[in-house]
Amino acid sequence: MSVLLKVVKEMIIDLTMELSEKTPVYPGDPKIEIKEWTDVEKDGYQMNTLFLGEHSGTHVDAPAHFIPGGRTIDEMPLEKFIGKGIVIDVSQLDRNIEPSEMLRVAEIVLFYTGGKAIYLSEEGARYLIDLRVKAVGIDNSTIGDFKTHKVLLSNEISIFENLTNLENLIGKEFTFIGVPLKIKNGSGSPVRAFAIIKEK
Ligand SMILES: [Zn+2]
């Protein structure tokens, strides 16, 4: 009697920008500073200090970023940062992202722009609220204008910005994870974002 073994392999794709003093920041945001605090040769152990805005590199926005009295990052449930994901390729668009791009969605919807200045429209954001997604993300420094942010954040949709490597996830089924630091009263936080793909 033969036993057929089905091997399911998992692959992890890192979706996170490196955090360094060279990481570009949004216009007007503080420049990232990483300074040596102690040195392993001199002090016996190495440690750096970080100076950075909460919205540096790959990060997530909490409602408090735009909504007065909105939930801060430490108050957001972890469920908001983990879920079944989909990448929608919008890199060929010559306008912003509208509901017509969202023929298929998942708990977490990520937009691949390929670095083009393409953003989620206010209408697109409203459509995602109706579809009850948990979170949205983009490979741009911002998901859209103030109005788009307010629509999403007033509905407690987490917004992931400055994601990378999304092109590797087009057409794939995956679990997205992007967990923030528990910053007291934080308006957002850098995250380590990644996708787990099950290969059959
Ligand atoms: Zn942000």
Side-chain angles (χ1 to χ4, degrees):
M1 208 172 90
S2 72
V3 179
L4 190 64
L5 276 180
K6 198 176 162 199
V7 181
V8 180
K9 277 197 279 180
E10 285 189 342
M11 197 163 72
I12 294 177
I13 310 267
D14 193 352
L15 308 177
T16 319
M17 272 186 183
E18 187 180 76
L19 275 182
S20 80
E21 299 197 338
K22 291 191 187 126
T23 307
V25 295
Y26 193 78
D29 282 9
K31 262 184 68 65
I32 299 171
E33 288 176 33
I34 302 176
K35 299 272 176 268
E36 189 179 278
W37 181 255
T38 55
D39 176 79
V40 73
E41 302 275 309
K42 247 187 2 216
D43 307 296
Y45 63 98
Q46 199 213 329
M47 194 193 319
N48 298 319
T49 60
L50 310 177
F51 174 83
L52 72 176
E54 293 164 328
H55 300 260
S56 300
T58 306
H59 69 275
V60 63
D61 292 358
H65 190 35
F66 276 94
I67 309 299
R71 275 215 267 193
T72 52
I73 200 70
D74 51 315
E75 296 171 332
M76 293 286 283
L78 285 170
E79 293 80 40
K80 288 280 185 184
F81 311 119
I82 301 169
K84 293 279 164 224
I86 189 173
V87 168
I88 299 178
D89 183 357
V90 295
S91 59
Q92 303 307 315
L93 287 183
D94 48 15
R95 54 167 173 76
N96 284 340
I97 306 159
E98 299 291 345
S100 52
E101 273 66 64
M102 299 166 221
L103 297 177
R104 277 184 63 218
V105 292
E107 289 176 314
I108 297 182
V109 178
L110 310 175
F111 296 105
Y112 170 69
T113 70
K116 278 168 77 176
I118 295 169
Y119 306 100
L120 180 63
S121 71
E122 193 184 349
E123 271 314 299
R126 285 192 198 289
Y127 189 67
L128 289 172
I129 306 299
D130 292 342
L131 296 173
R132 298 174 180 279
V133 306
K134 278 186 183 184
V136 296
I138 197 161
D139 56 350
N140 262 328
S141 59
T142 180
I143 189 78
D145 61 14
F146 279 27
K147 283 182 179 170
T148 296
H149 272 88
K150 283 182 179 165
V151 168
L152 295 168
L153 294 176
S154 61
N155 286 279
E156 303 220 326
I157 308 294
S158 305
I159 304 173
F160 291 91
E161 291 164 332
N162 281 333
L163 293 165
T164 62
N165 291 331
L166 294 183
E167 64 275 20
N168 298 307
L169 298 172
I170 296 167
K172 303 241 164 75
E173 280 178 28
F174 58 91
T175 299
F176 173 89
I177 301 177
V179 178
L181 298 175
K182 202 167 180 175
I183 302 168
K184 175 101 178 138
N185 296 328
S187 70
S189 168
V191 295
R192 186 68 183 254
F194 57 97
I196 304 172
I197 305 178
K198 274 211 167 69
E199 294 191 315
K200 284 159 211 156

